[in-house]
Amino acid sequence: MFSTSIFILRRSLCVSYPSAFKHTLDYSRVPKIQELDLSEQFVRGGGPGGSAVNKNANCVVLTHLPTGTVVKCHISRSQDENRKLAREMLIEKLDETLNGEQSVAAQRRRLEEKKYKRNEYKKKKMAQLKIEWKKREGLV
């Protein structure tokens, strides 16, 4: 039914969104995860951090059994924090695959595009007003 996909998030990628989005986003379709549907493994991590990272099994591999979606999280050196982050990542990934254009991430993208277009329109309008002002004042 669903293809197996791996969603890996490294330490360097942390995105924060403004709190104003929370009031305009629809979270009603976000899937709920039951612990019985999850398979959790702890594997050794890699990357920067030396022996503190390479020798300890603090990287979390979380598999959602009904869909086969796999998420690997090694953002933090803490196993507990990685477990929490892996669950959040899995919820986001399932939301994107199940809801598509109605997912929270797609809603955020649409709001960002709308904001960008509005700002571009303001810039163009201000530039046009500046040109007209210079012509009126004889500065051109």
Side-chain angles (χ1 to χ4, degrees):
M1 182 173 165
F2 292 96
S3 63
T4 303
S5 59
I6 297 178
F7 185 62
I8 300 175
L9 188 63
R10 291 282 178 186
R11 291 182 205 171
S12 60
L13 181 63
C14 285
V15 180
S16 65
Y17 295 102
S19 61
F21 286 163
K22 289 184 180 179
H23 302 294
T24 57
L25 298 177
D26 179 21
Y27 288 93
S28 64
R29 295 181 183 211
V30 176
K32 307 291 187 271
I33 296 180
Q34 297 179 356
E35 289 295 320
L36 297 174
D37 294 341
L38 299 178
S39 168
E40 187 174 46
Q41 295 176 344
F42 303 104
V43 296
R44 288 186 178 158
S51 62
V53 173
N54 298 332
K55 290 183 182 178
N56 298 321
N58 53 9
C59 180
V60 179
V61 178
L62 203 60
T63 306
H64 188 246
L65 298 175
T67 60
T69 304
V70 178
V71 175
K72 185 175 181 180
C73 179
H74 188 243
I75 298 171
S76 169
R77 286 171 51 177
S78 167
Q79 190 180 61
D80 290 334
E81 191 174 333
N82 284 334
R83 289 182 71 202
K84 292 174 188 173
L85 291 171
R87 280 165 174 71
E88 291 175 10
M89 291 164 45
L90 182 64
I91 289 172
E92 288 178 15
K93 187 71 173 173
L94 288 174
D95 185 34
E96 286 185 34
T97 55
L98 297 175
N99 296 328
E101 286 298 315
Q102 299 300 322
S103 69
V104 174
Q107 293 176 42
R108 279 194 187 114
R109 280 193 299 272
R110 283 195 299 271
L111 286 173
E112 285 289 335
E113 288 173 9
K114 189 176 178 181
K115 181 180 173 183
Y116 176 76
K117 287 179 183 178
R118 186 170 52 244
N119 286 340
E120 287 297 313
Y121 172 76
K122 286 181 182 180
K123 286 179 188 177
K124 288 179 184 177
K125 186 176 178 181
M126 187 57 75
Q128 184 65 31
L129 289 172
K130 189 174 182 179
I131 290 171
E132 291 173 5
W133 176 78
K134 284 184 177 181
K135 286 181 183 176
R136 268 195 324 264
E137 297 294 321
L139 300 173
V140 177

